[in-house]
Amino acid sequence: MRPRPPINGRGIFSGTGLIITGLTATLLAMIFPIWSYADRSGTGLDALNAETVSTGYGPLSGLDREFITKVRLAGLWELPAGEQAQQKGTTEAVRTAGRHLVQGHTFLDERVRDVAAKLSLALPNEPSEQQQGWLATLDSAQGAEYDRQFANILRLAHGKVFSVVAQVRASTRNSLVRKLADDANTTVLDHITVLEATGYVDYDAMARDMVADSTPPLTPPPTPPGPTADPAPAVPVTPPSPPAPTYTLPPAATSPPPDNSGTS
């Protein structure tokens, strides 16, 4: 029997086969980027979930934990700064701001240690290197120079914390963190208000530093000669200030942080 000759127009290389193959390739090309992006770690919800642990008070994100640490760190340097301002401040407005710092951070530190203990989070026991530098600057300043440094360093620091508090309050799913953010918001706003009431805040420098995300100014701008618009009253002759009292915060919770090894 003679072999049957092939029939033209059939198979993958036929006109219909080429059309089907082309459509299939196009469909795969459209699907692959979507699958690749959705499966890629480190983007969107994947990153959020990778840093989130479950607690009895709701999910605890990486941002939540960072916020809790920042609240503790704020108290570790701002409370001593407030104690110092009550002694070294040359105006009643500066001394009043110091009292508000002490009262506010005494309250917040109690709150943050309670929250950290319930969430099994360890907290720092000393200020950061940058915060220690700010305290050293205030230690060396005297008179109106001290007032100006105190108002501007503390005001800029509170302004940056204020935005973090708002972000956490808007996004957290943890009830303890939500309440802590409420308390921090009230306290930080109060501190911003009393610091601005000193009359020493340089708003132009503040705006530049906030935009540049720089650190609080450690050196104030030079005072121009002649009469100035300095809202502070004439600086009286100030006797040598007694050493600022040392305030030691109670120890932080020492429980180890939660085990995130099983979190994906």
Side-chain angles (χ1 to χ4, degrees):
M1 173 182 278
R2 296 176 59 185
R4 186 176 182 181
I7 300 176
N8 295 332
R10 292 185 179 180
I12 191 171
F13 296 108
S14 66
T16 302
L18 289 173
I19 293 174
I20 294 175
T21 301
L23 290 174
T24 302
T26 301
L27 181 61
L28 290 174
M30 295 173 62
I31 293 175
F32 178 77
I34 299 174
W35 167 83
S36 176
Y37 183 83
D39 189 58
R40 188 169 55 197
S41 62
T43 59
L45 289 176
D46 287 336
L48 174 65
N49 293 331
E51 298 176 354
T52 300
V53 296
S54 298
T55 75
Y57 304 92
L60 185 71
S61 69
L63 179 61
D64 293 338
R65 294 193 295 275
E66 180 183 359
F67 166 68
I68 292 171
T69 299
K70 285 182 179 296
V71 172
R72 170 67 176 181
L73 284 171
L76 288 172
W77 83 278
E78 291 179 26
L79 201 154
E83 291 275 11
Q84 185 185 69
Q86 294 180 80
Q87 301 296 325
K88 294 180 66 173
T90 66
T91 69
E92 182 57 31
V94 171
R95 293 190 289 270
T96 297
R99 286 194 295 272
H100 279 244
L101 288 177
V102 171
Q103 294 167 358
H105 284 291
T106 297
F107 165 71
L108 272 186
D109 194 70
E110 293 175 354
R111 289 281 294 110
V112 74
R113 287 187 293 111
D114 177 67
V115 169
K118 290 177 178 177
L119 296 174
S120 299
L121 295 177
L123 293 175
N125 277 315
E126 62 179 21
S128 69
E129 183 177 349
Q130 184 184 53
Q131 292 166 343
Q132 292 177 28
W134 296 338
L135 287 173
T137 298
L138 295 177
D139 287 341
S140 62
Q142 300 294 332
E145 167 76 1
Y146 173 84
D147 294 341
R148 185 176 290 106
Q149 292 277 22
F150 170 80
N152 283 281
I153 291 176
L154 271 296
R155 172 58 181 82
L156 180 55
H158 279 81
K160 291 184 177 181
V161 169
F162 203 35
S163 61
V164 175
V165 175
Q167 182 182 3
V168 171
R169 182 60 181 84
S171 64
T172 186
R173 295 173 287 170
N174 188 283
S175 60
L176 289 180
V177 175
R178 190 176 302 118
K179 184 62 173 67
L180 180 63
D182 286 340
D183 293 335
N185 181 74
T186 301
T187 301
V188 172
L189 182 57
D190 172 71
H191 292 175
I192 287 176
T193 302
V194 294
L195 288 165
E196 292 175 347
T198 64
Y200 280 108
V201 173
D202 185 338
Y203 291 100
D204 290 335
M206 197 73 56
R208 290 192 299 268
D209 287 332
M210 290 295 291
V211 171
D213 195 29
S214 62
T215 57
L218 300 183
T219 303
T223 303
T228 66
D230 191 341
V235 179
V237 177
T238 306
S241 301
T246 300
Y247 188 95
T248 304
L249 289 172
T254 55
S255 303
D259 182 9
N260 299 343
S261 60
T263 305
S264 60

